[in-house]
Amino acid sequence: MILALDTYNSLNNFLKSNLSTRLAWVVFSGLLVMGLIILTVTFSVEKTYMIDQQRSVVDRFTMGINAYLVQQPETGLEDLANHMQGHLGQFDDIHTVMLSAEGFPLMEIGTRAAAMDCFDNVLLLPSTGQTMLSLCLTSVENRIAEKRLRLMLWMGGLFTCFGLLFHVLLKQLVAKPFNVMLQVAQSISHGKDSARFDESVSGEFGFLASFINRALDNQQAQQLELHDVLEHVSETEMLLHEEKEKAIVTLKSIGDAVLTIDASGHIEFMNPTAEELTGWEFAEAKGLYVTDLLKMIEEETEKNLPNSAQVCLETGKRVVCHRQKLLKKRNGNMIAISDSAAPIFDQAGIQSGAVMVFRDVEQTRQMAMKLSYQASHDPLTGLFNRREFEAQLHLLLNSAQYEEAEHVLCYLDLDQFKVVNDICGHSAGDQLLRQLSELLTGQIRDADILARLGGDEFGVLLTHCGVDQALRIAENIRSAIHAYRFIHEEKTFEVGASIGVVQIIALSGSAEELMSAADMACYAAKDAGRNRVHIYRPSDTELAERKGEMSWVSEVRMALDEDRFDLLCQPISTASKQVSRLNHFEVLLRMRKDNECVLPMAFLPAAERYNLMPEVDHWVVRKVIDLLESNRAFAECSVLLVNLSGQSLCSKEFTHFLDEQLSRIKEFTGSLCFEISEQAVIANQQCISAIIKHLKQLGCKVALDNFGGGITSMANLKGFQMDYVKISGGIIRNVSDDPIDYAMVRALNEVAHAMGAETIAEMIENKENYAAIKSIGIDYCQGHGIALPEPIELYLENTTYMLNVQ
């Protein structure tokens, strides 16, 4: 126990000593242990070697004695002893020789010590017989012990000197710089951040000091950066907190309802407006599922609608509802709202929720309904007005054309209504109109449509009604009006009605033509004596023409669907040296049917009558711009004249389509010239004027087609900015033979030039016509006498084409 305690204290004191002492002691102890191990191994080998030497000496001595005995077989013990004494001089290691026989000593030569190693061998003496020869040599253990002692003393001295030298070296090379670094480390650990290790020390300690200093500098810099970042974060948190407070105040102040939901669809926030519109307080609603709180219902069908916030969560996209819907409040009341929802993403781009905004549009809805009602109803009678009546007529016309349904239009004009106005005043007339409106409502079916068209005129649309039934209904209406008596201030008035009836079938014309036919039938009833019904019946020729047009309508639609149209080009020649040298072509349309080419005059009238021209113009414009876009060299040196119908030009949808297509060839819009007929310009001056200005702003050119077909319209055309005027071929055809046509063409040419436009003469069939129009000073000419229409592809590769007729 005491020994263990002393060992522990010694070890503890050793560990508390300085580094050089501990390292020196460790090295010294290691060397000592290694030396002991080496000594042990070495002396073990040495001992074996010495024993082998002893045996060798004994064997050589014994062999020498045996050889003597062989030579002197009669030798006695005394002679043998003398010989052995002399033989011992050759062996320094043998100290004692003894002979014994049968256990009795015969002789002993030399001195015997206690610590000797003895070896026995057998000799054959003639006198004594078998004799035991014993040889004693210096003890191997003693010799080993002496060597071990000398070597241990030598090694002890050597190791002691080495240990002292190693201790001094370690103290100077390791312990001293290490202690210096330890002192600096202790200073740093006590908070002295400016302390640094000495980098001037050579060797590994200098490198280590430099490395640690760099690490300390980097750590200190990072600490400063971290401190700055923490300060910035703290400031940012304060700003964010302030912004959050402002945002919350703003959300609570705005008039729109705002609520946010988490990624699972549960309510996280509601502003006061949302509380008011839903009937839920935020404290109660927080954590509820959004679809349980906001129940959307379609107003017309009363079906449940998907919640915009839920749809936003599922799709991850912004949801904007353009139609109005009803919100079912907590108390069961319904309010009209418009709403939208947008996703909320975290910094990693993962959707963390959604925000929904909605507002009460009940007042707006009521106002819109009121405006819609006012836009479609007559304020005096409450019936549909003329605008809504014509819209319903278009629907029934489409139904007749595509569903082969049969309807009837009735046009009513009151007789003797002016008498009531003149005698009793307009207020009495208004009262009469209201009463007759109620009377007429009772005479028609629920599915029929009644409207006041203006003044004392009414219109009735009898849906899904044959002619015979329509005539009976019209006669009942006439009889009821004739039997009605209007009383005002003790005055009684009798009125009547003249009714025009028109059948609405697939072969009917446009809505405008139907209204015109009904008006004519009504006036026919008036001319026949008033207060009667007259039905409009088209002639067989007219019906045949309509039937033919209807067949072309389906053919045009199929050609559009099957892409069976082709574009041809007819070159336009220069007739004057003063005009542009660009190539001019008119784009012409053809239809392919049964491997034959169909001219436009066969199918375009039907397309005009049944409003298919916008679709045809869409196809032509798209194809022409495709060609210009893919053949830019041709576009740079050419002008293509493309015909557009009045129906297309007065359509906002077509205007947007033109803008979209022209954006593909922004640098070549000057290569397009749109032809507009004089008739279309006169019939739609306002919208045509606007589209002309728009086209010219886009860089396109505009041509007036068929100029001179309505010579009385010159005054109406002076305000239009045309680039080209195409003089009607009807008067060009005889310009070389008829002096009146010659004078008219010259006048038209002067008017066009006065308008700032260049002129083009159409339908040049021969050289005489060309010579006549050239003498007049017309700029360009076109016709079969100049060049025939050819596929447009023939001209795309030849960008230097220019046709001049001399």
Side-chain angles (χ1 to χ4, degrees), residues 46 57 66 81 119 160 169 180 197 229 245 297-298 345 384 473 594 596 637 654 664 703 730 783 804-805:
E46 183 73 14
V57 168
N66 284 328
F119 299 90
T160 300
L169 291 175
V180 173
F197 296 98
V229 170
E245 293 296 325
I297 299 174
E298 189 174 18
F345 297 99
F384 283 135
I473 295 174
D594 300 330
E596 293 184 0
C637 62
F654 187 79
R664 296 163 49 194
N804 293 285
V805 178

Side-chain angles (χ1 to χ4, degrees), residues 57-71:
V57 168
V58 169
D59 290 341
R60 284 189 288 112
F61 185 85
T62 303
M63 289 174 64
I65 297 299
N66 284 328
Y68 175 74
L69 292 175
V70 170
Q71 295 175 0

Side-chain angles (χ1 to χ4, degrees), residues 2 13-14 16 22 79 87 110 112 126 140 145 159 179 279 411 429 454 471 494 554 673 684 687 746 790 798:
I2 296 174
N13 293 332
F14 169 73
K16 291 182 179 179
R22 281 179 285 168
D79 293 333
H87 191 58
R112 183 169 56 174
V140 170
F159 286 170
N179 289 332
Y411 191 96
L471 288 174
E494 178 183 335
S554 61
C673 176
N684 307 280
C687 67
R746 184 172 59 186
E790 298 286 353
N798 186 2

Side-chain angles (χ1 to χ4, degrees), residues 362-377:
E362 186 67 30
Q363 185 176 0
T364 305
R365 183 178 69 124
Q366 294 294 337
M367 185 177 297
M369 291 173 61
K370 184 177 180 180
L371 291 174
S372 176
Y373 181 85
Q374 291 175 352
S376 60
H377 288 75

